[in-house]
Amino acid sequence: MIYQKVVLITGGSTGIGYAIGAYLHDKGFRVVGTSRTPANYPNPLFQLLKMDVKDGQSIQNVINQVIADYGVIDVLINNAGVGITGPLEELPETEIKANFETNFFGPIAVMKAVLPSMRQQKSGLIINITSIAGYMGLPYRSIYSATKGALELITESLRMEVKPFGILITNVAPGDFATNIASNRYHAPVQKGSAYEASYGKSVSLLNQHVDSGSNPLQMAEAVYAIIQTKQPKIHYKVGSLMQKFSVVLKRILPDKLFERLLMNHYKL
């Protein structure tokens, strides 16, 4: 009998998380997804458990239930996240903190909850879904870029700490994908008379267009499946259009001011 790996995906009810879960389910994995509102999805393709990554007790409850049901968690995919846009000067402090709680502190809490069992079984793979936006400071996406960039670095550090226990960790940074992230994103309102009214208004429109015309989330699912099948995953993976992936290379090789000018031209600033 072929062993079916147990995969836990946070934020598994919609978007990239659902695409990954559905693909792995079809490949024979035992998939458990999480959602803050699983009751809204009455006939899920795979099991959905209630979890809020900002609630430590709900995280522990899910980890305990999955281990009780299946004995192990072979793969954790930290996918739950939310978007945020706006001029930094006009973003409410509460929204900034809430975004960090979900995109940064949430994945840390889930990793800390799952690591004891992975250490005990002397194996495990953690895949953190970050963003190409985490490789560069993007105008009017400062907080989102910061949360995803911070998670990239946390992964680098933790990867070295847990490698002696047989646990592997990697990042997968998507570009723009056609999901519902724009509708769930916190948009600071374009304020009439604001110093940022014209430029931010144009940027919000562009950001939504990028998501609407984004790639098929199936690409992310295929990439994650390939990583799970890899014995020694790389530290960083990037999935998206050629230009989006190439932007990371340009960031590394171009002078800072030239790269800044390219970004400003792209966002019509």
Side-chain angles (χ1 to χ4, degrees):
M1 180 178 175
I2 297 174
Y3 176 70
Q4 296 173 297
K5 286 187 176 181
V6 178
V7 181
L8 175 63
I9 306 173
T10 67
S13 57
T14 60
I16 286 174
Y18 178 80
I20 294 171
Y23 190 85
L24 295 181
H25 174 270
D26 290 346
K27 290 290 186 181
F29 290 81
R30 289 185 280 188
V31 178
V32 180
T34 75
S35 169
R36 288 177 298 171
T37 55
N40 291 348
Y41 310 92
N43 297 299
L45 179 63
F46 48 85
Q47 185 179 12
L48 272 182
L49 299 179
K50 183 177 177 62
M51 178 201 282
D52 184 340
V53 297
K54 295 183 288 185
D55 179 348
Q57 189 57 57
S58 79
I59 293 171
Q60 197 59 59
N61 290 344
V62 166
I63 300 297
N64 292 345
Q65 183 173 340
V66 175
I67 292 174
D69 290 346
Y70 300 106
V72 296
I73 297 174
D74 296 297
V75 183
L76 165 65
I77 302 173
N78 259 324
N79 168 74
V82 290
I84 182 170
T85 62
L88 182 62
E89 186 180 349
E90 295 177 359
L91 284 172
E93 196 75 16
T94 53
E95 294 295 342
I96 293 173
K97 290 179 178 178
N99 200 264
F100 267 93
E101 287 291 339
T102 299
N103 290 0
F104 180 62
F105 292 111
I108 290 175
V110 180
M111 287 190 287
K112 290 176 74 171
V114 82
L115 279 171
S117 64
M118 287 186 170
R119 195 166 56 248
Q120 186 174 26
Q121 69 202 33
K122 298 182 174 60
S123 66
L125 170 64
I126 298 174
I127 300 174
N128 288 326
I129 306 300
T130 59
S131 174
I132 286 178
Y135 283 85
M136 59 201 73
L138 297 178
Y140 303 121
R141 296 181 75 187
S142 56
I143 299 304
Y144 186 74
S145 287
T147 60
K148 294 300 188 176
L151 186 57
E152 287 271 345
L153 291 178
I154 283 286
T155 302
E156 289 183 5
S157 299
L158 185 59
R159 180 182 161 99
M160 292 183 281
E161 294 173 8
V162 301
K163 188 174 283 191
F165 309 122
I167 302 168
L168 304 171
I169 306 184
T170 186
N171 287 313
V172 181
D176 291 320
F177 281 84
T179 69
N180 62 345
I181 189 171
S183 62
N184 295 328
R185 175 191 290 151
Y186 173 79
H187 289 289
V190 179
Q191 297 183 18
K192 188 125 182 101
S194 162
Y196 305 100
E197 180 182 1
S199 60
Y200 174 48
K202 284 190 296 186
S203 291
V204 168
S205 178
L206 275 173
L207 287 170
N208 290 337
Q209 287 173 31
H210 291 163
V211 171
D212 292 340
S213 63
S215 304
N216 189 330
L218 180 61
Q219 289 183 31
M220 276 292 291
E222 291 171 339
V224 167
Y225 174 70
I227 291 167
I228 294 173
Q229 302 299 102
T230 302
K231 285 190 176 181
Q232 292 295 329
K234 298 189 296 184
I235 304 173
H236 303 283
Y237 292 88
K238 300 161 196 72
V239 183
S241 71
L242 180 61
M243 280 308 300
Q244 287 169 350
K245 291 187 287 187
F246 188 53
S247 68
V248 179
V249 177
L250 290 178
K251 162 80 172 177
R252 189 168 63 244
I253 64 175
L254 290 180
D256 290 345
K257 288 185 178 180
L258 177 55
F259 185 74
E260 179 185 66
R261 194 181 314 144
L262 290 175
L263 277 181
M264 294 186 75
N265 288 338
H266 178 72
Y267 285 98
K268 302 185 180 352
L269 299 178

